[in-house]
Amino acid sequence: MALVGVLALQGSYNEHIAVLRRLGVKGAEIKKPEQLDTVASLIIPGGESTTMAKLAEYHNMFPALREFVKMGKPVWGTCAGLIFLANRATGQKIGGQELVGGLDCMVHRNFFGSQIQSFETELSVPELASKEGGPELCRGVFIRAPAILEVGPEVEVLADYPVPANTWKNSNPGVEGLEDNSGSEKKVIVAVRQGNLLATAFHPELTADTRWHSYFLRMTTETEGASSSIVAVGADLNSNQQTKIDLPVFL
Ligand code: GLN
């Protein structure tokens, strides 16, 4: 049985598969609902969530994706994938788009603005560092990125990012939850975990830091029944820490 599936309808699925390969794990491209039966966990990549949702609908993927989440199998959404997993989204195109849901949060689809407002930054990631070793910072590549504005009680925040309060309000006029003027800086949430669900607003697959992928592989092996297959591929998750882990490799 393949271990990790990567939803391969649109977006940066090849980059995720390349990182998995560097960790010694074969990522299986998932393009049809029945292929989900062949994997223990799933990565939903970044891309363009409206386009990805249209393709997912065309291929009748939504019921199978929801079932996969409900079964408690690990799912990691990056960027557009995070939007897919959110229970609630704002900043969507008129009419909205279908979501897989499961992650108790409200996501703003293009919180940081348009494509030209894309940026890179250092993020503090103590939980990731405690599980995977390495520095307490990781490189965050934000490409027309979403942000999480609210989370439910079950959701563990793994990284947040400070945004000046007026930028927040000005760049997102009229959006509920952004009207608070208190203080000069507010934080938005950019990485979370809720049980079997992991979500990042940025793109770890575009950097040389493999820790988010190894963290997700650990979630996969911790899930009942998956433990034997991952060991078989020979990945030693702890030996993959590199000295220079913050350099973007694909940009
Ligand atoms: N904001 C984009 C969307 O709505 C996601 C961008 C990304 O995945 N890099 O789809």
Side-chain angles (χ1 to χ4, degrees), residues 45-50 78-81 83 97 109-110 143-146 203:
E48 212 288 320
S49 58
T50 313
T78 55
C79 206
I83 300 168
Q97 72 203 33
R109 218 189 119 209
N110 291 319
I143 304 173
R144 201 160 72 94
H203 288 262

Side-chain angles (χ1 to χ4, degrees), residues 10-12 45-52 78-83 91-93 97 108-111 113 115 118 141-146 201-203 205:
Q10 189 264 341
S12 62
E48 212 288 320
S49 58
T50 313
T51 309
M52 215 186 288
T78 55
C79 206
L82 151 64
I83 300 168
Q92 288 176 287
K93 289 196 177 133
Q97 72 203 33
H108 186 302
R109 218 189 119 209
N110 291 319
F111 178 81
Q115 199 75 17
S118 299
V141 179
F142 290 80
I143 304 173
R144 201 160 72 94
F202 48 94
H203 288 262
E205 79 285 8

Side-chain angles (χ1 to χ4, degrees), residues 5-236:
V6 183
L7 190 66
L9 299 174
Q10 189 264 341
S12 62
Y13 57 90
N14 276 323
E15 288 79 355
H16 275 291
I17 290 171
V19 180
L20 292 171
R21 195 182 306 125
R22 279 172 27 225
L23 293 174
V25 174
K26 185 171 163 25
E29 286 187 14
I30 303 294
K31 293 178 188 282
K32 294 184 179 154
E34 59 271 21
Q35 292 171 327
L36 282 171
D37 298 338
T38 67
V39 291
S41 66
L42 179 73
I43 297 175
I44 305 180
E48 212 288 320
S49 58
T50 313
T51 309
M52 215 186 288
K54 280 188 182 147
L55 289 167
E57 211 178 315
Y58 180 79
H59 292 285
N60 193 28
M61 292 293 294
F62 277 105
L65 287 168
R66 289 195 188 104
E67 187 57 28
F68 197 86
V69 168
K70 274 204 198 106
M71 283 163 75
K73 298 198 177 176
V75 181
W76 174 19
T78 55
C79 206
L82 151 64
I83 300 168
F84 258 52
L85 287 180
N87 279 349
R88 300 175 297 284
T90 182
Q92 288 176 287
K93 289 196 177 133
I94 292 165
Q97 72 203 33
E98 215 172 327
L99 302 172
V100 175
L103 187 60
D104 186 8
C105 73
M106 158 74 94
V107 70
H108 186 302
R109 218 189 119 209
N110 291 319
F111 178 81
F112 293 101
S114 66
Q115 199 75 17
I116 53 166
Q117 270 112 27
S118 299
F119 62 99
E120 290 186 34
T121 189
E122 299 285 321
L123 296 169
S124 173
V125 285
E127 162 66 12
L128 182 72
S130 84
K131 291 269 160 48
E132 303 302 323
E136 291 233 337
L137 294 175
C138 85
R139 190 105 190 127
V141 179
F142 290 80
I143 304 173
R144 201 160 72 94
I148 297 171
L149 307 179
E150 294 163 14
V151 290
E154 312 273 281
V155 178
E156 182 188 2
V157 174
L158 303 179
D160 54 25
Y161 181 72
V163 183
N166 58 346
T167 311
W168 233 46
K169 210 178 148 186
N170 294 345
S171 62
N172 298 283
V175 174
E176 225 178 293
L178 300 184
E179 304 300 326
D180 183 356
N181 268 330
S182 56
S184 58
E185 212 172 67
K186 288 181 70 72
K187 284 183 170 171
V188 288
I189 298 164
V190 293
V192 292
R193 174 161 179 190
Q194 177 193 320
N196 60 316
L197 302 179
L198 177 66
T200 50
F202 48 94
H203 288 262
E205 79 285 8
L206 298 182
T207 71
D209 188 343
T210 54
R211 288 180 297 168
W212 285 103
H213 289 79
S214 52
Y215 183 88
F216 184 64
L217 289 173
R218 258 178 232 285
M219 284 173 63
T220 305
T221 56
E222 278 160 20
T223 306
E224 213 184 336
S227 44
S228 51
S229 43
I230 192 165
V231 177
V233 297
D236 177 355

